[in-house]
Amino acid sequence: MKDHINVWNNCLSIIRKSIDVQPFKTWFEPIKAVQLEDGVLTVQVPNKFFYEWLEENYVDVLKKAIKSELGHKGSLNYQITVENHRKIGVPGQDVSKKVRAEDDGETMMNPFVIPGIKKMKIDSQLNAAYTFDSFVEGECNRFPSSAGQAIARNPGGTAFNPLIVFGDVGLGKTHLAHAVGNEIIRKHEGKQVLYITTEKFTNQVIQAIKSNSVNDFMNFYQMIDVLIVDDIQFLSNRPKTQEIFFNIFNQLHQTGKQIILTSDRAPKDILEVEDRLISRFKWGLVADLKAPDFDTRIKILNKKLESENLDLSHEIKEYICTHIKSNIRELEGVVISIVAQSTLNRKVIDIKLVREVIKQFVSTVEREVSVESIKQLVARHFNLPVEKLHSKTRLREVVVARQLSMYLAKTYTNNSLKSIGDSFGGRDHSTVIHSLKAVQDLMDTDLLFKDNVTALVKKVKTALVNK
Ligand code: ADP
Ligand code: MG
């Protein structure tokens, strides 16, 4: 006679072989088998999100394991531990009896709360250097900058809620968002401001789901008066994070709290974001940052030089600003490099030196690597022959290398999903979509994998610069 514990342990051995250690620990170790009856294995998961996450991401491996243990007719049933004494259950399940007998005592620590202060004070996570004072205004940013200042005077009280700042990388979205936050704190004592990147928010969501503390997490966000979320394009393809973000957004908005978001593309162009969220974004103001014109670039350059206690001839400044056009971060990079060259290497700052420095910066963004070169980089990184990436093999390391190549191809080239699929032995676009999602999931859950990706991204970027 098979019992539920045995069957589930066997399933786990199968699953362990097909997914990485970290996701396995995160999503499978907390599952408990509770019963086996008529080929139906019932397992207990900590909460509803956990169940949905499994179904969204691991349904194939689960099916495979169940089939191998219980045959074609076998099936899996989830039971959800009651969350905060509310009944949340799979229909037909009597969840009320399933309140966990012992609490494991794991409550989520709020990462941003400064302890020891009577009235809870949230650490805003703002960068003090990013203020309106250090933000140079020009035609390119006047509109978003004025909207930001109006908000700072009257947070939550203008029509700009949410304010969505969008623009290409390096045009000042993050700087402006912090400037608004800093100005609000300066003007309105006691306002709780929180800056967070979408990436960090996503990690918190994962953590909250894992530790069964989604409610605490949501409650924490209710204390905030001004919420700034940077780079919301990363909400793309993350339905759970979107769902929680949607709820937080609604509650804050309803109570007149200010929301500021940034994105590197217009909200409607963020792929795989639910319509209901996009429609919320339309409630406020979308203001875009444009590339700075020559005069503004000169002004920004002067400001950066001033803060480095450096001055350059007009000729050199002109040279820099004619060559660095579309990215203020690059402009800043040039200044920092020049300072380093002149102080560390004691070189004279002349046009020759500046030309050398600029060479390293000229727009990496506008260039493109080819899918072929990405494949070669990845194959070399994983020590595989390139042809393997086209093959039909299901060997895990090859599958991961292939998925990663597709991910980098999508991120760093303008090729369509279809053409990317074609370059990997004629796979269709849905395989590519699946790969992008798989890589995203792994990055969210597996730190080692994420390191691998970071290393590869570096290589791709170096390839871009040296092209
Ligand atoms: P984004 O978030 O759009 O990628 P950032 O806000 O990180 O861009 O800006 C890149 C760099 O350029 C930052 O160091 C920022 O201080 C600087 N910067 C951007 N816009 C301005 C501006 N208008 N005035 C001064 N510095 C700016
Ligand atoms: Mg930014």
Side-chain angles (χ1 to χ4, degrees), residues 130 134-136 141 168-175 300 304 328-329 332:
Y130 286 165
S134 58
F135 191 78
V136 174
N141 58 32
D168 274 342
V169 55
L171 290 187
K173 300 181 292 295
T174 299
H175 188 141
I300 294 173
K304 302 287 168 197
I328 301 172
R329 187 173 290 131
E332 211 167 43

